[in-house]
Amino acid sequence: MCSIKFVPGLKNYIDAEKKKVVDKLQSNSKSKSGNGWRTELPVVGLGVGVLEKMREDKRNDVVWQGKCSGTVYIGGSETEGHFSLINEACTMFAHTNPLHMDVFHSVVKFEAEVVAMTAALMGSQEKSYGGQICGNMTSGGTESILLAVKSSRDFMKARKGIVRPEIRNSITLTIISRKE
């Protein structure tokens, strides 16, 4: 646990700095967003013309290829190479839902394969682990973080007897566990 924030006066300073960052982020988003945004569903569907409008909006995006560390994990042209492969795969499976295992067998198989490959990278083939590595796929960062925290909570309860874990926010995220 980080106790630096308990130094007299430092907590107020940290809170003030956080407020500055939040205020700056909020003012930036207000000045750039909302201009020409739809705020209500249209009475009549937009039809295929909406695709051209989307293309026009996309042309106003920043040229990011190779410049977005931590948010986009591949570079190159969006119409060739790896992008082309990803686009085709997304098109094939955009309508599927892996919760319907009885309908979308292929998606369930692909998820199981990715989980098995990842488990193997983490040592599931080694006798010391007893083949007890399991997992699932998630659709984004927040969901992944929540499931990692849940997994840690469940593991600590089963292995260490911690039944009331805590997560406290400080300068960096610290997970604190306590036994009851």
Side-chain angles (χ1 to χ4, degrees), residues 93 96 103-111:
F93 296 98
T96 63
V103 177
F104 301 109
H105 302 281
S106 58
V107 177
V108 174
K109 174 188 171 222
F110 301 149
E111 178 179 10

Side-chain angles (χ1 to χ4, degrees), residues 113-134:
E113 289 174 343
V114 170
V115 169
M117 290 178 214
T118 305
L121 289 172
M122 298 185 71
S124 67
Q125 307 294 324
E126 298 172 24
K127 287 186 179 189
S128 61
Y129 285 101
Q132 295 186 14
I133 296 175
C134 60

Side-chain angles (χ1 to χ4, degrees), residues 31-48:
S31 64
K32 293 180 184 175
S33 65
N35 195 5
W37 286 17
R38 293 182 181 277
T39 58
E40 296 179 9
L41 288 172
V43 176
V44 178
L46 302 177
V48 295

Side-chain angles (χ1 to χ4, degrees), residues 8-177:
L10 198 52
K11 182 179 183 330
N12 291 340
Y13 174 77
I14 291 170
D15 289 343
E17 290 299 309
K18 280 192 217 177
K19 184 174 179 353
K20 284 182 195 174
V21 170
V22 169
D23 289 346
K24 183 176 180 183
L25 289 171
Q26 288 176 341
S27 69
N28 283 347
S29 65
K30 286 177 188 166
S31 64
K32 293 180 184 175
S33 65
N35 195 5
W37 286 17
R38 293 182 181 277
T39 58
E40 296 179 9
L41 288 172
V43 176
V44 178
L46 302 177
V48 295
V50 73
L51 294 175
E52 185 51 43
K53 174 67 174 130
M54 292 171 78
R55 284 186 198 97
E56 181 184 324
D57 288 346
K58 185 169 180 15
R59 284 191 286 272
N60 292 322
D61 288 349
V62 174
V63 176
W64 58 267
Q65 281 77 0
K67 301 175 187 171
C68 273
S69 175
T71 58
V72 179
Y73 302 105
I74 58 174
S77 167
E78 292 186 10
T79 58
E80 46 190 56
H82 198 69
F83 269 111
S84 179
L85 177 70
I86 291 169
N87 290 340
E88 187 172 344
C90 287
T91 299
M92 278 193 287
F93 296 98
H95 66 282
T96 63
N97 185 338
L99 294 176
H100 292 283
M101 293 185 264
D102 56 331
V103 177
F104 301 109
H105 302 281
S106 58
V107 177
V108 174
K109 174 188 171 222
F110 301 149
E111 178 179 10
E113 289 174 343
V114 170
V115 169
M117 290 178 214
T118 305
L121 289 172
M122 298 185 71
S124 67
Q125 307 294 324
E126 298 172 24
K127 287 186 179 189
S128 61
Y129 285 101
Q132 295 186 14
I133 296 175
C134 60
N136 66 297
M137 291 181 65
T138 61
S139 60
T142 302
E143 181 184 14
S144 300
I145 291 167
L146 288 172
L147 288 173
V149 170
K150 182 191 180 303
S151 297
S152 178
R153 180 202 67 186
D154 294 350
F155 177 83
M156 294 305 235
K157 182 178 181 182
R159 296 286 172 96
K160 307 261 183 186
I162 298 169
V163 294
R164 290 189 53 201
E166 293 179 28
I167 296 179
R168 293 187 183 168
N169 189 0
S170 64
I171 294 172
T172 58
L173 178 68
T174 305
I175 298 177
I176 301 171
S177 302

